[in-house]
Amino acid sequence: MSDTQYLLFELGCEELPPVSLRKLSDALLENIQQGLTQADLNFGECIAYATPRRLAVLIKGLVSAQADKSIEKRGPAVQAAFDAEGQPSKACQGFAKSCGTTVEQLSTLKTDKGEWLSFTQQVKGQASVALIPDIIAKSITQLPIAKRMRWGTSNTEFVRPVHWAVLMYGNNIIKTEILGLNTGNTTHGHRFHAPAAITIDAPESYASILLNQGKVIADFSQRMQIIRDAANSAASAVGGIAHIEEDLLEEIAALNEFPVPITGSFDTRYLALPDEVLITTMQINQKYFPVKNTQGELLAHFITFSNIESKNPISIQQGNERVVMPRLADAEFFWNQDRKLRLEERMDQLTNIVFQKKLGSLADKSLRVEKLAEFIANSIGIDPDQVIRAAKLAKTDLVTNMVEEFGSLQGLMGRYYALADGESAEVAQAIEEQYYPKGSGSTTATSSTGQVLSIAEKIDTLSGIFSAGLIPSGDKDPYALRRAALGALRTIIENKLEINLIACLDFALQQFTHEFDVQKTRKLLITFTYERLKGYSLEHSYTADEYAAVLAILPPEPYDFQRRLQAVQKFRALPEAESLAAANKRIANILKKSADQASATIGQLVEPAEISLLASAEQAEKDVTPLLAAADYQAALNRLADLRTDVDRFFDDVMVMCDDLELRASRLALLTKLSTLFLQIADISKLQS
């Protein structure tokens, strides 16, 4: 059995892009693992390291060589391998030569399809050190780098210039060239605290050597935890709690190899600004953690992190305080200036902003959304006046100074400015909630007006971009249409809104004045939207065949679709479900082949089994009608499950396609009636056993 050693790879670079450092690190680890697996090299635990100046991977328990293999090659059939005199044919001789052996050394392989010549070849496994350089090179090439750069006179390309490369198996260097660099066992520590070269004696000591000799915390997750704990401790020292958002925490970890907390303060007058403005200014511009009190109110403090352990931290603190003041002053200026003009006075400015060249300006979009939102409000019985007002003002904050500076505050600043203008709280909240949900798993709009506006805004974007022919393909979705569709669906379903999505799509499409194929676009839109609904349903523990059963009847209301899904899922757990699903499948096949032979009404029936089934079906129809009116699909399917005995007896005792054409037509009509009963809820024939 092959012995095992640690494998260490480290690539030293100029400072890597902080927003993509974690992604690059994870990808490098995954690529190397895949490469080792494909090379049949067994290994143990794998650890990724990442700092601003390095990407590294440590593999524990990597075998020293591939296992030896026996490879069986199959040659020509024995019948074709020898002539009548038993002499080897050219095919036989060619096969032996290709195997590097003689005809006499070939074996015979017997199968149920005949006998074949074969040869078993023993292949000795290659040494790991011979395979690793190519695995590493390929892993680097496959990294998700949007834009590679060159440096110096070399044609080498990477996300940033590279300066050193470490590649070791056990205590030995694997000598090769990576991105124009010769590999070794020499790394570099902190740029300022430990600039001298550092020798790695053993791969397993990599992280500890960097920390002790290089003043570098190599583990990304460890740095994140250190930063989190230090920020909380620093905030506690000034009587507060650090406001930590995960994206910023990750970015700060990607900016620092040895993070040191610094607490700063700012003028309390800026606390008069909306909290979100201050938080955004500190987080986006300065990479600071804001500080709040126990009531969630902002304090005039912030926590930042320095990448050096300074002998004079006060100077770093003062420097950061000087830098943040102009930022806060700008935000204060924007806040005061923006409120000098009411939102409704900004509506004309929207005509100068193009939404999409075929779809017109933001003013055009606002008018379409207003009409669609009114249509939706009327369809579900809520006050359209509030919806119309919110839709008119929805995009006006996009032309304010604050939102032009901080795009992430769109909608939110609209709410603040609307309240300052004296608009109703419902309208103000809706302006913010038009962009909800903001991401996967985030909350949907909570106000009725906000829900309607959010749905209308997304449907207008979705249908408009489709009508312009800019349909998402592959990973390309520049208008975030997948997110828009899912956001509209989530808002409808999770708030139990009885909204006809297809009717909304039709209404939206009718508003566009440019030339396009309406019916083709409509079909593509419905398919696209229901594909997002499928993904949503599968994520909520429904199966593909349960979804297919409901999709077959295409309920136009997403919330209604989910209620049917739930009923189908519970129905399939019944003991009658499998038999009835099979029967419905059989009925569907019969009717598909013989639909033109069915009678419009059920005439004379003669067999007791079919007479009994008709009586049971008619009674079931009476019983489920009020249940369907109440959308109690589960109770309706439970009632239809009672038909199992009569359905089974019918197929056991009755020949549907009999010679008597009149009787055949009646029996087909009976099956049509039975099928229709189930199809009022879902097509259970789609359920797999």
Side-chain angles (χ1 to χ4, degrees):
M1 183 175 179
S2 178
D3 63 338
T4 64
Q5 298 285 348
Y6 283 72
L7 170 69
L8 172 66
F9 169 62
E10 182 197 49
L11 189 64
C13 319
E14 294 289 337
E15 275 70 9
L16 292 158
V19 292
S20 58
L21 180 61
R22 190 71 174 269
K23 181 180 179 181
L24 289 171
S25 176
D26 292 344
L28 180 62
L29 176 64
E30 183 180 351
N31 292 349
I32 291 176
Q33 287 175 316
Q34 287 180 354
L36 294 173
T37 300
Q38 290 168 1
D40 294 325
L41 294 173
N42 295 327
F43 55 90
E45 182 186 1
C46 303
I47 303 173
Y49 296 105
T51 79
R53 300 176 66 211
R54 76 201 70 235
L55 294 170
V57 171
L58 181 69
I59 309 289
K60 298 182 180 180
L62 177 64
V63 295
S64 60
Q66 297 170 320
D68 295 341
K69 293 181 181 179
S70 294
I71 300 176
E72 185 176 66
K73 296 183 179 181
R74 182 186 294 192
V78 171
Q79 186 177 354
F82 300 95
D83 60 21
E85 287 76 33
Q87 296 300 312
S89 65
K90 288 185 178 180
C92 175
Q93 293 172 351
F95 175 64
K97 184 177 180 181
S98 69
C99 295
T101 188
T102 63
V103 173
E104 290 74 22
Q105 296 298 316
L106 298 177
S107 302
T108 300
L109 176 66
K110 294 182 179 181
T111 71
D112 55 358
K113 295 183 179 180
E115 296 184 353
W116 311 80
L117 290 182
S118 68
F119 181 72
T120 301
Q121 186 175 11
Q122 298 298 321
V123 178
K124 185 172 179 59
Q126 290 183 266
S128 296
V129 294
L131 299 169
I132 287 168
D134 283 342
I135 293 172
I136 298 294
K138 186 176 180 181
S139 298
I140 293 172
T141 301
Q142 294 175 338
L143 288 177
I145 300 171
K147 189 174 183 180
R148 295 173 183 264
M149 63 178 295
R150 296 179 184 177
W151 56 95
T153 58
S154 170
N155 289 327
T156 302
E157 293 183 344
F158 195 57
V159 62
R160 290 292 185 269
V162 296
H163 293 299
W164 73 87
V166 174
L167 187 58
M168 300 175 67
Y169 181 67
N171 295 342
N172 298 315
I173 299 169
I174 300 177
K175 294 185 177 180
T176 187
E177 185 179 291
I178 294 175
L179 295 177
L181 298 171
N182 292 322
T183 53
N185 63 349
T186 301
T187 185
H188 293 266
H190 195 284
R191 184 184 288 278
F192 304 109
H193 288 305
I198 299 171
T199 299
I200 305 294
D201 297 320
E204 58 268 33
S205 303
Y206 172 74
S208 61
I209 289 173
L210 272 181
L211 179 60
N212 297 325
Q213 298 183 36
K215 204 81 170 179
V216 169
I217 300 166
D219 188 292
F220 194 96
S221 297
Q222 183 184 2
R223 284 202 313 283
M224 284 183 65
Q225 190 59 50
I226 288 171
I227 292 168
R228 188 192 301 275
D229 293 342
N232 284 326
S233 178
S236 179
V238 293
I241 300 167
H243 175 82
I244 299 175
E245 294 186 13
E246 291 301 309
D247 286 349
L248 180 58
L249 176 62
E250 185 171 306
E251 188 173 355
I252 291 175
L255 286 166
N256 295 277
E257 291 192 315
F258 194 83
V260 177
I262 302 290
T263 303
S265 303
F266 55 86
D267 195 316
T268 56
R269 88 167 195 261
Y270 295 117
L271 293 176
L273 297 173
D275 284 0
E276 295 88 349
V277 171
L278 293 176
I279 290 171
T280 301
T281 300
M282 285 188 274
Q283 290 185 154
I284 292 180
N285 289 135
Q286 304 304 128
K287 314 305 177 190
Y288 296 165
F289 291 126
V291 179
K292 295 182 176 181
N293 62 20
T294 53
Q295 288 75 46
E297 301 166 332
L298 277 179
L299 300 177
H301 299 288
F302 60 84
I303 312 298
T304 186
F305 280 83
S306 170
N307 194 35
I308 60 172
E309 201 167 39
S310 175
K311 294 179 181 179
N312 186 14
I314 295 297
S315 66
I316 298 179
Q317 173 191 330
Q318 293 172 343
N320 278 277
E321 290 173 345
R322 284 195 300 271
V323 169
V324 77
M325 285 301 181
R327 297 287 190 181
L328 297 177
D330 285 346
E332 182 183 53
F333 174 78
F334 296 152
W335 170 248
N336 292 329
Q337 286 295 113
D338 286 342
R339 288 181 298 155
K340 292 180 179 179
L341 202 62
R342 294 175 57 83
L343 288 180
E344 63 182 349
E345 295 177 275
R346 298 179 181 276
M347 291 172 59
D348 288 345
Q349 296 178 47
L350 298 179
T351 60
N352 300 320
I353 302 175
V354 176
F355 170 61
Q356 201 279 330
K357 61 181 181 180
K358 289 186 178 180
L359 307 177
S361 66
L362 277 181
D364 297 321
K365 178 176 176 60
S366 295
L367 182 59
R368 293 194 304 266
V369 170
E370 178 187 331
K371 293 179 180 178
L372 178 56
E374 181 183 10
F375 171 78
I376 295 172
N378 287 328
S379 74
I380 58 176
I382 72 167
D383 180 9
D385 292 339
Q386 295 273 56
V387 171
I388 291 171
R389 183 62 178 171
K392 284 182 183 295
L393 302 177
K395 300 301 181 185
T396 52
D397 71 335
L398 297 180
V399 294
T400 62
N401 292 302
M402 192 74 79
V403 176
E404 287 181 356
E405 178 70 15
F406 301 114
S408 62
L409 294 181
Q410 63 179 4
L412 178 71
M413 294 314 301
R415 172 168 66 85
Y416 277 112
Y417 293 143
L419 291 173
D421 290 348
E423 301 289 345
S424 71
E426 180 84 4
V427 167
Q429 185 174 347
I431 292 173
E432 178 181 2
E433 290 183 333
Q434 67 179 301
Y435 299 106
Y436 286 17
K438 290 190 173 182
S440 176
S442 60
T443 58
T444 63
T446 56
S447 68
S448 296
T449 302
Q451 289 163 5
V452 171
L453 183 58
S454 171
I455 294 164
E457 203 280 333
K458 291 169 178 59
I459 288 177
D460 176 78
T461 297
L462 187 64
S463 55
I465 300 302
F466 262 70
S467 74
L470 302 174
I471 301 170
S473 61
D475 294 334
K476 295 180 179 179
D477 187 7
Y479 289 92
L481 299 186
R482 295 183 179 92
R483 188 173 66 188
L486 183 58
L489 290 167
R490 282 190 56 206
T491 303
I492 293 170
I493 294 167
E494 294 171 16
N495 294 288
K496 301 180 180 179
L497 302 176
E498 296 180 343
I499 292 176
N500 186 319
L501 179 64
I502 294 178
C504 291
L505 292 172
D506 286 337
F507 186 96
L509 288 173
Q510 291 169 11
Q511 295 198 82
F512 299 111
T513 57
H514 61 279
E515 188 175 329
F516 67 100
D517 188 327
V518 177
Q519 289 306 312
K520 180 181 177 182
T521 303
R522 179 182 189 271
K523 184 177 179 180
L524 289 170
L525 261 176
I526 292 172
T527 300
F528 179 84
T529 308
Y530 277 79
E531 283 175 353
R532 308 285 80 73
L533 181 57
K534 180 179 181 180
Y536 178 86
S537 301
L538 296 182
E539 286 180 1
H540 286 75
S541 302
Y542 295 107
T543 62
D545 60 337
E546 291 163 357
Y547 177 83
V550 180
L551 180 67
I553 64 168
L554 198 65
E557 296 183 7
Y559 175 54
D560 184 61
F561 195 111
Q562 292 296 300
R563 287 187 291 187
R564 291 170 187 266
L565 257 181
Q566 186 178 45
V568 168
Q569 187 177 72
K570 293 186 176 180
F571 166 77
R572 82 177 313 167
L574 299 175
E576 300 89 351
E578 186 173 347
S579 176
L580 284 171
N584 271 269
K585 191 173 296 183
R586 186 173 178 182
I587 291 169
N589 289 333
I590 292 171
L591 294 178
K592 185 177 180 180
K593 296 176 182 177
S594 316
D596 59 333
Q597 301 177 42
S599 172
T601 57
I602 302 172
Q604 185 71 28
L605 298 173
V606 296
E607 297 291 341
E610 59 189 349
I611 294 171
S612 176
L613 178 58
L614 174 59
S616 296
E618 289 177 337
Q619 184 58 51
E621 185 176 22
K622 293 178 182 178
D623 293 342
V624 301
T625 297
L627 296 174
L628 294 174
D632 193 347
Y633 303 118
Q634 185 179 337
L637 280 176
N638 287 344
R639 174 63 185 87
L640 293 179
D642 295 339
L643 295 171
R644 175 193 172 177
T645 301
D646 286 315
V647 171
D648 288 348
R649 190 150 64 93
F650 173 85
F651 281 114
D652 287 342
D653 297 352
V654 176
M655 172 67 74
V656 177
M657 306 305 287
C658 60
D659 294 335
D660 185 332
L661 296 182
E662 187 175 338
L663 182 57
R664 180 195 299 180
S666 291
R667 288 172 175 171
L668 289 170
L670 173 59
L671 293 183
T672 300
K673 183 181 188 68
L674 189 65
S675 176
T676 302
L677 277 175
F678 282 93
L679 287 174
Q680 291 178 95
I681 305 162
D683 184 356
I684 65 168
S685 72
K686 301 289 185 182
L687 297 179
Q688 304 296 317
S689 58

